[in-house]
């Protein structure tokens, strides 16, 4: 007779009490656990900056779905980060309207100012620079986000002010 291996609750060993409390608050209003997948991913990301494979597997387990299903949702939703990022993620829209209105120049100026290329994080872990598709404010292009804050009609000259403003803000 084989030895019974005790079941390990993956979620409780990987996810923090605070994360589980926030996720449970979402589940309380949902028809089924998997329905809160995006909100739960955002919660985990808010606590850790990004969603590792380990955290994703634990979360999938908790939401009673497969890791592959949850990963496909995380991949589709491009504001979920699956790799480590800095305290502040700068997302520069590179969709067509922002491209026409000069997002390449914005991105280049940010790269020079921060000393990183797209996809990289500054040595002090303060900023990560990433591309993003349309942020839904095409009439105010070019558009970027720093953390949760959206900036519209961005100019190269205005970047210093955006970053200075961010220095005084809570990282997100
Ligand atoms: S194309 Fe940049 S916000 Fe829509």
């Amino acid at each position: 007779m084989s030895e019974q291996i005790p079941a390990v609750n993956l979620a409780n060993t990987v996810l923090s009490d605070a994360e589980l409390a926030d996720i449970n608050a979402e589940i309380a209003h949902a028809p089924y656990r998997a329905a809160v997948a995006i909100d739960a991913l955002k919660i985990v990301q808010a606590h850790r900056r990004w969603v590792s494979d380990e955290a994703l597997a634990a979360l999938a387990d908790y939401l009673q779905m497969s890791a592959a299903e949850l990963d496909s949702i995380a991949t589709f939703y491009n504001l979920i980060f699956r790799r480590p990022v800095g305290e502040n993620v700068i997302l520069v829209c590179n969709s067509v309207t922002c491209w026409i209105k000069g997002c390449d120049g914005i991105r280049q100026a940010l790269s020079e100012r921060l000393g990183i290329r797209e996809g990289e994080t500054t040595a002090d872990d303060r900023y990560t620079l990433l591309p993003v598709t349309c942020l839904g404010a095409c009439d105010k292009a070019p558009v970027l986000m720093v953390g949760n804050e959206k900036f519209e009609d961005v100019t190269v000259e205005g970047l210093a002010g955006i970053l200075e403003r961010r220095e005084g803000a809570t990282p997100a």
Side-chain angles (χ1 to χ4, degrees):
M1 190 170 139
S2 64
E3 192 180 342
Q4 194 78 32
I5 299 172
V8 175
N9 187 334
L10 189 58
N12 287 333
T13 60
V14 175
L15 302 177
S16 70
D17 290 346
E19 286 170 318
L20 289 171
D22 290 348
I23 294 164
N24 287 338
E26 296 294 334
I27 290 172
H29 304 290
Y32 53 95
R33 286 184 172 224
V36 307
I38 290 178
D39 288 322
L41 285 164
K42 287 181 184 174
I43 287 167
V44 171
Q45 181 162 289
H47 283 269
R48 310 169 177 235
R49 293 192 203 167
W50 67 292
V51 182
S52 67
D53 288 346
E54 182 188 39
L56 184 129
L59 183 57
D61 191 46
Y62 197 65
L63 298 180
Q64 298 171 345
M65 60 197 301
S66 73
E69 286 173 316
L70 187 58
D71 193 27
S72 69
I73 291 170
T75 303
F76 179 76
Y77 189 73
N78 59 14
L79 297 182
I80 295 298
F81 308 125
R82 295 283 283 118
R83 293 183 184 176
V85 293
E87 290 173 25
N88 298 280
V89 177
I90 303 177
L91 297 165
V92 180
C93 174
N94 64 2
S95 290
V96 64
T97 308
C98 284
W99 178 74
I100 290 168
K101 297 291 285 280
C103 70
D104 284 350
I106 300 291
R107 188 177 55 245
Q108 187 177 340
L110 276 169
S111 283
E112 288 168 7
R113 188 172 191 93
L114 299 172
I116 54 173
R117 290 177 299 184
E118 225 169 41
E120 294 180 343
T121 298
T122 53
D124 63 1
D125 208 30
R126 187 88 176 117
Y127 292 103
T128 297
L129 183 59
L130 294 175
V132 71
T133 52
C134 185
L135 289 167
C138 314
D139 58 326
K140 300 274 192 332
V143 182
L144 61 78
M145 289 187 72
V146 186
N148 294 325
E149 194 170 6
K150 187 187 287 180
F151 295 89
E152 301 168 337
D153 295 317
V154 176
T155 62
V156 169
E157 296 73 29
L159 290 175
I162 289 172
L163 294 179
E164 277 166 22
R165 178 170 157 171
R166 196 66 210 173
E167 288 301 317
T170 306

